[in-house]
């Protein structure tokens, strides 16, 4: 769990001291996680530094669809976070637009981060679920984002208890 937090926290611009504190770890462990990530995926560090430089020079970075993402002054270190969060937004927004063009649009109840919650009558699940998944699966800049479905019963909230 702590490795996951340190990894994502690093992607999102978290500093070593902050990440060590959040994960009850010491600075050396946290630095080790970051250094390993950079060795395995050197492009991540390069991309992050490039975005940081763009944010400092322009006051913004561009999202995956060209949207200008204004980066708060003094927060250029978080430019990658802006781009990642925007990518998630663009992907889920596109999925919602695709669903809205189907006969299942009225069954969409809620968006929760990267999930869409539907109320589908039992007799339609075999047809509706593959159609909805087709709306949600996508490829962005050569990276495939699959979708999967879970049937939660009558109440979505109870699924997480």
């Amino acid at each position: 769990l702590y490795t996951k937090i340190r990894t994502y926290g690093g992607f999102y611009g978290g500093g070593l001291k902050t990440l060590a504190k959040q994960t009850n770890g010491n600075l050396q462990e946290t630095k080790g996680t970051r250094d390993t990530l950079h060795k395995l995926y050197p492009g991540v560090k390069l991309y992050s530094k490039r975005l940081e430089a763009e944010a400092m020079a322009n006051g913004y970075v561009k999202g995956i669809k060209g949207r200008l993402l204004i980066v708060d002054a003094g927060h250029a270190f978080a430019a990658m976070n802006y781009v990642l969060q925007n990518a998630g937004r663009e992907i889920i927004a596109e999925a919602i637009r695709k669903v809205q063009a189907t006969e299942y649009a009225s069954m969409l109840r809620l968006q929760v981060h990267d999930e869409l919650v539907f109320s589908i009558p039992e007799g339609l699940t075999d047809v509706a679920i593959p159609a909805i998944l087709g709306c949600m699966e996508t490829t962005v800049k050569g990276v495939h984002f699959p979708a999967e479905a879970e049937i939660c019963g009558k109440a979505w909230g109870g699924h997480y208890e």
Side-chain angles (χ1 to χ4, degrees), residues 107-124:
M107 298 175 193
L108 177 59
R109 298 291 179 248
L110 182 66
Q111 174 198 340
V112 181
H113 302 289
D114 62 347
E115 297 180 19
L116 297 179
V117 179
F118 291 82
S119 292
I120 302 171
E122 285 182 30
L124 290 179

Side-chain angles (χ1 to χ4, degrees), residues 19-158:
L19 293 173
K21 184 177 177 184
Q22 290 174 345
T23 59
N24 297 321
N26 64 45
L27 207 52
Q28 209 54 33
E29 287 175 340
T30 305
K31 184 179 181 314
T33 301
R34 187 200 58 197
D35 291 349
T36 299
L37 176 70
H38 289 166
K39 281 182 191 167
L40 291 171
Y41 305 102
V44 170
K45 182 178 181 180
L46 295 172
Y47 185 58
S48 180
K49 290 297 179 191
R50 190 186 94 212
L51 290 173
E52 187 175 345
E54 285 179 26
M56 289 171 59
N58 304 322
Y60 67 86
V61 290
K62 288 186 179 181
I64 62 171
K65 301 263 183 166
R67 182 184 303 266
L68 296 184
L69 309 171
I70 306 302
V71 178
D72 299 328
H75 289 86
F77 63 88
M80 186 143 153
N81 180 27
Y82 285 55
V83 171
L84 291 172
Q85 295 290 340
N86 173 259
R89 178 253 177 241
E90 294 290 356
I91 290 168
I92 200 72
E94 181 64 23
I96 291 170
R97 283 190 290 274
K98 289 178 181 177
V99 167
Q100 290 301 312
T102 72
E103 61 196 273
Y104 308 108
S106 65
M107 298 175 193
L108 177 59
R109 298 291 179 248
L110 182 66
Q111 174 198 340
V112 181
H113 302 289
D114 62 347
E115 297 180 19
L116 297 179
V117 179
F118 291 82
S119 292
I120 302 171
E122 285 182 30
L124 290 179
T125 56
D126 289 347
V127 176
I129 291 173
I132 291 167
L133 290 176
C135 293
M136 295 182 70
E137 261 189 43
T138 192
T139 300
V140 177
K141 296 191 176 197
V143 178
H144 182 69
F145 292 88
E148 54 188 47
E150 292 182 55
I151 298 176
C152 301
K154 294 192 183 288
W156 165 79

